[in-house]
Amino acid sequence: MNQDNGQLRNQMGRLGFGGTGVGNLYRAISDEQAAATIEAAWDAGIRYFDTAPHYGLGLSERRIGEFLAAKPRSEFVISTKVGRVLVPSPATADKKDPEGFDVPAVMRREWDPSEAGVRRSIEDSLERLGVDYIDIVYLHDPDVYSMEDAVKSALPALEKVRAEGLVRAIGVGTNTAGAAVECVEAADLDLLMLAGRFTMLEQPGSDGRPGAGLLDRCLELGTGVVSVGVYNSGILAKPELPSDAHYNYSQASEEILERARELAGICKEYDVELPTAAIQFPFRHPAVVNVTVGASKPEQISQSAERMSADIPAELWQELQQRRLIPA
């Protein structure tokens, strides 16, 4: 485990900025709007910025790097990811990226879990970000490609580059609690970025889900958890739930909608909006060190910062526990 782990976590703070939106996820935004959004995060006191080559085929890294170039390097923490390397793709340059980002497909992603691939990915990210070093590097979505390659090749490579001082900390970013368990046990990770699996609607091990004991194990090992996707694709993002709300990137079932409405109703009784409770919920477990949220407009990240700092009465959490809507 990296010896300056505590210092790094203090620098990260409670709230981080996720770079998917400024990578043109689902819709294109201008460079000016992206810069204004990142600036709003900075003005709100956010000093942890997470990105990845995957986000807009490098666009997110470039935009975040361009903004942070004017800031003292010691004043912010930046993380990116390895696993997918970007290679030129002239044959698809006139098409749109097929993986959800509104950018030209001038590059394509290739899975490369080898040590050479990990090092190449870090070098490419350093160039796009315009920084001398990267604080945190996560292995991105190993369960999407090959857990065997992740455990045998990519994770040992990350441990090696950390030992060499090329990065301050290493981790894994995944949407799958089961994969997270396997990676946490297989390598000496500083951080785990867990997407959508520890929220007011879903926790590892609940209702028979995989990953029981994951957060407790992270606490035992000293692996800090960065919680992302806390709104579960939008269903927890608004005080009043629309009937077409999405849960985990799909239309929410009536059962999930009813549970979310019950959560929202109880929150309202305590004069707390549902998304305010949702963004603070992960800190109910001591393994969680940071919640990172995305934004594509300045007002979105400003509102998230306000929600993170809002007071939530302990009685709200107690009632949600008593009704077995959240774990004790």
Side-chain angles (χ1 to χ4, degrees):
M1 192 74 65
N2 193 345
Q3 292 303 306
D4 78 337
N5 214 341
Q7 180 186 0
L8 179 66
R9 293 179 188 181
N10 287 336
Q11 285 183 283
M12 291 170 69
R14 283 166 57 88
L15 184 63
F17 177 86
T20 53
V22 297
N24 287 3
L25 180 64
Y26 304 136
R27 64 189 64 85
I29 64 173
S30 66
D31 289 340
E32 292 76 16
Q33 182 174 327
T37 304
I38 304 167
E39 185 171 22
W42 186 273
D43 291 345
I46 293 171
R47 294 296 181 268
Y48 172 45
F49 299 85
D50 175 68
T51 183
H54 174 56
Y55 304 159
L57 296 172
L59 179 63
S60 174
E61 287 185 318
R62 287 192 294 272
R63 282 174 163 172
I64 289 175
E66 286 168 6
F67 176 83
L68 293 175
K71 308 298 181 184
R73 181 64 185 90
S74 61
E75 290 188 10
F76 60 85
V77 173
I78 196 160
S79 63
T80 192
K81 303 178 183 78
V82 298
R84 297 172 172 95
V85 294
L86 302 181
V87 298
S89 183
T92 60
D94 59 339
K95 297 179 174 61
K96 286 287 181 69
D97 175 45
E99 295 202 28
F101 293 90
D102 191 354
V103 295
V106 295
M107 310 285 279
R108 71 175 186 275
R109 304 164 181 85
E110 287 187 358
W111 169 242
D112 189 346
S114 68
E115 181 178 333
V118 167
R119 291 180 182 276
R120 174 187 165 190
S121 185
I122 292 172
E123 290 170 2
D124 290 348
S125 289
L126 283 167
E127 183 175 349
R128 285 189 292 267
L129 288 163
V131 293
D132 294 329
Y133 65 93
I134 297 167
D135 298 282
I136 307 161
V137 173
Y138 299 101
L139 177 62
H140 204 178
D141 294 336
D143 49 303
V144 173
Y145 299 97
S146 167
M147 286 300 299
E148 182 180 1
D149 288 342
V151 169
K152 290 184 176 179
S153 182
L155 293 180
L158 282 178
E159 289 179 308
K160 190 170 182 180
V161 297
R162 180 184 59 191
E164 293 171 3
L166 296 180
V167 299
R168 295 174 66 187
I170 62 169
V172 169
T174 179
N175 294 279
T176 308
V181 170
E182 188 172 346
C183 291
V184 164
E185 295 294 351
D188 179 21
L189 303 180
D190 299 291
L191 295 162
L192 171 68
M193 180 170 275
L194 189 62
R197 302 287 76 81
F198 188 58
T199 72
M200 291 183 75
L201 280 174
E202 182 177 336
Q203 303 87 42
S206 64
D207 299 329
R209 292 184 173 94
L214 169 62
L215 271 68
D216 290 342
R217 185 61 176 144
C218 286
L219 192 62
E220 291 173 3
L221 294 169
T223 300
V225 176
V226 176
S227 187
V228 299
V230 295
Y231 299 132
N232 281 126
S233 305
I235 192 169
L236 300 176
K238 295 180 180 179
E240 304 291 336
L241 267 75
S243 59
D244 62 347
H246 279 63
Y247 172 68
N248 289 346
Y249 308 105
S250 301
Q251 171 70 40
S253 68
E254 192 57 38
E255 179 184 359
I256 291 292
L257 280 170
E258 281 304 311
R259 187 169 169 215
R261 289 188 185 113
E262 187 175 2
L263 288 167
I266 297 170
C267 287
K268 194 172 184 179
E269 291 175 12
Y270 288 87
D271 198 27
V272 174
E273 293 187 341
L274 178 61
T276 299
I279 201 172
Q280 293 193 33
F281 167 79
F283 290 107
R284 302 289 298 162
H285 197 288
V288 175
V289 299
N290 177 276
V291 169
T292 288
V293 295
S296 57
K297 298 177 182 178
E299 55 268 28
Q300 291 172 338
I301 196 67
S302 300
Q303 185 178 59
S304 291
E306 291 173 7
R307 294 192 186 285
M308 182 61 82
S309 62
D311 290 328
I312 296 181
E315 292 79 8
L316 169 59
W317 300 122
Q318 291 165 4
E319 180 162 349
L320 291 173
Q321 288 173 355
Q322 288 168 0
R323 297 199 190 190
R324 297 185 177 180
L325 290 169
I326 64 171

